[in-house]
Amino acid sequence: MTSRESDFLAQIPNQLFIGGRWVDAEGGKTLDVFDPSTGDVIRRIADASPGDGIRALDAAVAAQEAWAATAPRERSDILRRAFDLVQARKEDLALLMTLEMGKPLAESRGEVAYGGEFLRWFSEEAVRISGRYGMNPEGTGRMVVSQRPVGPSFFITPWNFPLAMATRKIAPALAAGCTVVVKPAELTPLTTLFFAQLLAEAGVPEGVVNVITTSSSSAVSGPIISDPRLRKLSFTGSTPVGQKLIAQAAEGVLRVSMELGGNAPFVVFEDADLDKAVDGAMLAKFRNIGQACTAANRFIVHESVAAEFSQRVADRVRAMNVGRGTEDGVQIGPLIDDRAVAKAQELVGDAVERGARILAGGNALEGPGTFYEPTVVEGVVPGSAILREEIFGPVLAISTFSEEDEAVRLANDTEYGLVSYVFTQDLARGHRMIDRLETGMMGLNVGVVSNAAAPFGGVKQSGMGREGGLEGIHEYLNVKYTLIPA
């Protein structure tokens, strides 16, 4: 670690943010945050207890009425100031994400741009919350339909996009008039703590946003979720954890938003523009080191173009630079921890044992840090674990098909349904894929679909609810109907 990095990290808050104040965890407990590229501890921060979690909820509840009554324009202005502060500190935010998560600086800068857009988008949506008014059909009264904030909300965010996952939840909640408690992932909590500091600078009132960091996620989250004062739960993470949280939320009949696992198909038809398909594959697979729920997991390529496609992506992959994300020219940083490396090795090994061939990579790298080579595997056969499980690493697995119906069957052969990618120059076929592929999102001849102005979310076991777009703010609003006699 350089002296500049050490000096910068020393400025990042290391306490809990509750009720507008930075406070130590109960009993002074702490946890360590690591740099995955070296394995070194980069910051020691507060480790919240269940009691700390309830204190954070207390603060959110206390602030709820006043924040809901705050003028929409004022909420809008605060979010816009937060956007401006994120842009002003973009280099600091990018460096912080690279240090705690490992992604290359260029990608961290991209996340700052993407994550910041949720602040700008929902600052504009805050003043557009509307309802309707009109006579009922019988003529006996006038109907007023209005929207009110859901109330105190609890967010559990993942480690892979530390800023964007926070802004994607916090911005619509604040725009709608809800207060929040945020529990960032234990592996990458520093970005959220820094962002909380920026929100305070932007003028977010005390108690409206509270951040608790902890190594005991279920122990701290459980009492918050079971508290009858909580009205909303939003989680981004694995499907098994999401299923447990949904069950917990059911007791309080909480509004829930779940962005869960993915197993995205990347379908390349025989008429595809291979230049675009290869470019799209590199983005869809290797963005964020493959550690994204939207990452292409299963490359389903028409048999007539599979050999050329496989060779071209393998050539691109062999040329990728692997290293610490702060180094110039690095395209692939470390995986988040040893378990991620072991999973990549296991999935590739299983595919090879079943007859697949490695065209590039295929090995963990020796030395410090948790690095795995960017990898291309072709000839993956049905039944391989790599086709069923979310890889969450830089491994591109290719199988083939011969007919359109077969491609659709293979693409839909999963319990997940977050996103799909399709490459074809046949417009009619593209429209058929929109209708036939069972996913909440689709990229047609593009490898990245995420945008703050678009609804993000999946179907089947990839979750429920939408984040972003016109739809995003409605996750934090209840509809209220009032009848006024004529």
Side-chain angles (χ1 to χ4, degrees):
M1 185 186 301
T2 67
S3 58
R4 175 180 175 271
E5 291 168 0
S6 298
D7 292 343
F8 169 61
L9 286 166
Q11 301 171 30
I12 303 303
N14 66 347
Q15 296 172 292
L16 311 177
F17 189 61
I18 299 176
R21 293 173 175 77
W22 295 101
V23 296
D24 290 334
E26 194 173 55
K29 287 187 63 180
T30 61
L31 64 90
D32 292 333
V33 181
F34 298 87
D35 177 347
S37 70
T38 63
D40 296 336
V41 174
I42 58 173
R43 193 78 165 118
R44 182 162 289 156
I45 65 171
D47 187 358
S49 69
D52 292 320
I54 292 301
R55 278 188 284 278
L57 181 60
D58 290 342
V61 170
Q64 177 59 53
E65 184 176 358
W67 182 243
T70 301
R73 176 58 67 194
E74 185 175 345
R75 298 200 299 264
S76 172
D77 289 345
I78 289 172
L79 286 170
R80 178 63 199 220
R81 287 197 295 271
F83 168 79
D84 291 337
L85 285 170
V86 164
Q87 303 315 302
R89 302 297 297 273
K90 61 185 178 182
E91 288 301 317
D92 288 339
L93 281 162
L95 176 59
L96 186 55
M97 281 190 283
T98 292
L99 291 176
E100 68 172 343
M101 185 267 162
K103 70 182 73 182
L105 269 173
E107 292 203 21
S108 292
R109 293 185 182 108
E111 182 176 342
V112 175
Y114 171 57
E117 283 303 314
F118 289 101
L119 297 167
R120 177 155 62 175
W121 175 264
F122 285 110
S123 74
E124 297 162 346
E125 290 302 296
V127 296
R128 298 194 179 106
I129 298 170
S130 61
R132 60 189 174 93
Y133 169 84
M135 182 71 72
N136 65 10
E138 297 78 15
T140 58
R142 302 188 185 277
M143 302 180 297
V144 178
V145 179
S146 57
Q147 299 186 82
R148 300 295 302 155
V150 168
S153 304
F154 181 42
F155 301 152
I156 303 174
T157 59
W159 52 262
N160 55 342
F161 289 94
L163 179 65
M165 298 304 97
T167 59
R168 199 161 76 182
K169 297 180 189 300
I170 294 172
L174 267 55
C178 299
T179 59
V180 305
V181 176
V182 186
K183 191 207 75 63
E186 176 186 356
L187 295 170
T188 59
L190 301 181
T191 301
T192 306
L193 292 172
F194 186 30
F195 179 53
Q197 187 176 58
L198 296 182
L199 288 174
E201 290 179 29
V204 173
E206 294 179 357
V208 171
V209 174
N210 306 273
V211 180
I212 50 173
T213 54
T214 182
S215 62
S216 305
S217 181
S218 59
V220 170
S221 298
I224 296 174
I225 296 170
S226 64
D227 193 301
R229 299 173 299 171
L230 186 73
R231 298 314 314 143
K232 166 79 181 186
L233 170 64
S234 180
F235 168 73
T236 298
S238 73
T239 295
V241 174
Q243 290 168 329
K244 293 177 182 177
L245 291 172
I246 292 169
Q248 289 179 262
E251 291 195 18
V253 195
L254 298 182
R255 287 278 294 272
V256 296
S257 298
M258 293 282 148
E259 197 265 282
L260 307 178
N263 189 4
F266 188 105
V267 184
V268 181
F269 285 97
E270 67 272 20
D271 65 338
D273 181 326
L274 283 189
D275 289 336
K276 290 182 179 179
V278 170
D279 287 344
M282 299 302 290
L283 288 170
K285 176 71 265 181
F286 297 106
R287 176 172 171 257
N288 215 51
I289 324 165
Q291 299 175 123
C293 56
T294 54
N297 214 59
R298 298 167 294 141
F299 287 77
I300 304 167
V301 185
H302 192 272
E303 58 190 11
S304 67
V305 296
E308 183 180 356
F309 177 84
S310 299
Q311 192 57 55
R312 289 174 66 171
V313 294
D315 289 343
R316 294 272 292 269
V317 166
R318 292 189 201 99
M320 298 184 87
N321 293 321
V322 180
R324 191 168 189 252
T326 53
E327 298 170 2
D328 291 340
V330 165
Q331 298 161 286
I332 297 291
L335 294 182
I336 191 64
D337 58 19
D338 291 326
R339 291 180 298 175
V341 173
K343 181 179 182 181
Q345 287 181 305
E346 181 181 346
L347 292 175
V348 170
D350 173 77
V352 170
E353 284 181 11
R354 295 172 184 267
R357 298 170 298 282
I358 296 176
L359 297 184
N363 298 294
L365 299 182
E366 296 183 0
T370 46
F371 292 90
Y372 191 85
E373 290 180 307
T375 298
V376 177
V377 184
E378 71 167 357
V380 178
V381 301
S384 299
I386 206 167
L387 299 179
R388 299 191 308 271
E389 299 182 25
E390 191 171 20
I391 300 169
F392 241 64
V395 179
L396 192 156
I398 302 170
S399 56
T400 61
F401 72 94
S402 58
E403 301 291 340
E404 181 179 311
D405 286 348
E406 181 187 8
V408 171
R409 178 181 59 79
L410 292 171
N412 289 337
D413 187 20
T414 174
E415 66 268 35
Y416 299 105
L418 185 60
V419 64
S420 55
Y421 304 92
V422 173
F423 282 76
T424 178
Q425 297 186 82
D426 184 332
L427 181 60
R429 172 182 279 156
H431 279 284
R432 289 197 298 274
M433 294 303 103
I434 293 173
D435 292 335
R436 298 186 70 187
L437 296 188
E438 298 168 350
T439 57
M441 301 176 287
M442 189 179 107
L444 183 57
N445 295 318
V446 295
V448 176
V449 301
S450 300
N451 189 287
F456 187 104
V459 298
K460 300 196 286 189
Q461 291 195 31
S462 285
M464 62 184 76
R466 293 296 182 267
E467 295 182 317
L470 300 174
E471 297 78 4
I473 198 168
H474 293 288
E475 299 288 335
Y476 299 93
L477 293 167
N478 285 326
V479 174
K480 185 170 186 176
Y481 154 62
T482 303
L483 178 66
I484 304 172

